[in-house]
Amino acid sequence: MLKNGQDVEIICGKDKGKKGQIIKILRNKNKAKVKGINFIKKHEKTTKEKKGGIISKENFIDISNLKVLDTKNKDKEKGKK
């Protein structure tokens, strides 16, 4: 079961091998947003509040493409060094 704030690794796709932290999960669609992974470019109009143009932002990735990194083993490795 994936949770917000959990460290994961991408196992397939254009960002294969990269690691990041889960920001948001959509359980009904089986998708998650990972910090620093799967950027897309979106065109936005200028409004009074924000400037328009081409904006890069993170997009959702399928949960089946994520592998949870074992945090317990990391703590043990840190203790050995």
Side-chain angles (χ1 to χ4, degrees):
M1 191 81 155
L2 296 173
K3 299 175 187 172
N4 286 342
Q6 205 168 23
D7 292 326
V8 293
E9 181 180 359
I10 310 303
I11 58 174
C12 65
K14 67 179 183 180
D15 294 321
K16 182 177 180 179
K18 292 185 181 178
K19 298 173 185 171
Q21 194 173 30
I22 295 178
I23 300 172
K24 187 174 182 180
I25 297 176
L26 299 178
R27 298 223 185 268
N28 57 347
K29 294 185 179 182
N30 289 328
K31 300 212 179 249
K33 191 180 281 191
V34 181
K35 186 175 184 180
I37 304 291
N38 197 24
F39 278 98
I40 59 167
K41 295 197 182 265
K42 184 169 175 92
H43 297 264
E44 291 194 359
K45 279 189 172 180
T46 303
T47 63
K48 291 181 181 178
E49 292 84 29
K50 59 184 175 182
K51 187 177 178 183
I54 301 172
I55 299 170
S56 292
K57 62 186 217 176
E58 294 138 344
N59 198 15
F60 288 94
I61 188 167
D62 201 80
I63 288 177
S64 65
N65 297 336
L66 301 176
K67 179 175 83 172
V68 178
L69 296 176
D70 193 10
T71 56
K72 294 178 184 176
N73 288 340
K74 283 186 180 180
D75 293 336
K76 290 179 184 177
E77 291 174 5
K78 286 180 183 177
K80 290 180 181 178
K81 291 183 180 179

